[in-house]
Amino acid sequence: MNTLLGQHIFLRPLEPEDLQLLLQMENQPEDWLLSQQQVPWSVHLLENYLQQAVQDIYEAKQYRMVVALQTSKQAIGLLDFFDFDPKNKRVGIGIALVPEFQQKGFGKDALQTALHFVFQEWMVHQVYANILTHNQASIYLFKSLGFTWVGTKKDWILHRHQWHDEVMYQLLSSEFYANKTL
């Protein structure tokens, strides 16, 4: 079984040809609230990033994958693993899809595939997600995969002179595999 193959998507490492996807996704000012970015990325910086993106998760403690369609091989989004902690067997996860592919089931397919992968291959015990409270679509997505709310960080993110709360959702591997609908 290919652990990176979902129903309609597959997950793959970043490649040099993903430069345009990165430019599109990283340079959207409305998304800087999520990434804490404050200025656009240049082509040169993103080319350097792509060259450095080959580090192992055990070394870099983070890893980015591309979400691509099985049928056309088109890249439709990015999936990030961050704060990897092999000692305590946990990792953070985040996902962003190109707008025209949102709310069509691809995000759930990609997250479900990613969860199978990290639980089986990296042998993590738990995965968590940090989500802004106004991002109800993302909260719904993570809850649909069995994530449970574990806390709220008040006034956690300052963006354009406005404070935003962030919630944390968590999923244990045993809970993921106990959910028969997955």
Side-chain angles (χ1 to χ4, degrees):
M1 177 182 147
N2 183 343
T3 57
L4 297 176
L5 188 63
Q7 288 186 294
H8 303 285
I9 61 88
F10 65 98
L11 303 176
R12 64 167 175 77
L14 283 168
E15 298 288 349
E17 60 267 18
D18 295 319
L19 178 62
Q20 289 306 313
L21 175 68
L22 287 173
L23 280 167
Q24 177 185 0
M25 299 202 67
E26 296 289 357
N27 287 336
Q28 296 294 324
E30 61 271 13
D31 292 338
W32 293 353
L33 172 62
L34 302 171
S35 66
Q36 300 298 301
Q37 187 175 326
Q38 296 183 25
V39 296
W41 288 70
S42 70
V43 170
H44 177 72
L45 282 175
L46 287 173
E47 286 173 338
N48 285 340
Y49 169 74
L50 283 168
Q51 290 174 359
Q52 300 300 316
V54 296
Q55 279 187 308
D56 183 83
I57 190 157
Y58 289 91
E59 183 180 351
K61 306 300 182 213
Q62 62 184 7
Y63 194 75
R64 177 171 270 185
M65 298 183 105
V66 171
V67 179
L69 296 175
Q70 285 184 27
T71 52
S72 65
K73 309 294 187 243
Q74 178 183 359
I76 63 167
L78 300 168
L79 195 122
D80 289 330
F81 301 101
F82 58 91
D83 293 340
F84 179 62
D85 182 347
K87 179 188 179 294
N88 294 300
K89 299 190 175 292
R90 64 178 168 243
V91 68
I93 193 168
I95 186 169
L97 296 181
V98 173
E100 57 264 29
F101 293 97
Q102 294 175 2
Q103 298 186 348
K104 295 184 176 171
F106 297 119
K108 185 172 184 176
D109 192 7
L111 277 174
Q112 187 170 333
T113 302
L115 291 168
H116 278 293
F117 175 76
V118 299
F119 289 139
Q120 291 176 11
E121 302 300 326
W122 293 344
M123 304 298 290
V124 299
H125 172 65
Q126 60 186 287
V127 177
Y128 68 92
N130 300 313
I131 308 168
L132 294 170
T133 54
H134 69 266
N135 190 345
Q136 291 299 307
S138 189
I139 289 171
Y140 177 81
L141 171 62
F142 280 87
K143 286 172 69 174
S144 76
L145 288 165
F147 280 75
T148 56
W149 174 84
V150 293
T152 300
K153 298 176 256 183
K154 295 278 195 192
D155 289 348
W156 198 252
I157 304 292
L158 178 62
H159 182 71
R160 296 184 180 157
H161 309 289
Q162 184 176 7
W163 289 102
H164 300 271
D165 293 348
E166 185 176 83
V167 288
M168 181 185 237
Y169 279 79
Q170 179 182 34
L171 179 65
L172 302 178
S173 61
S174 58
E175 296 166 342
F176 180 69
Y177 289 111
N179 187 347
K180 301 295 183 208
T181 63
L182 304 175

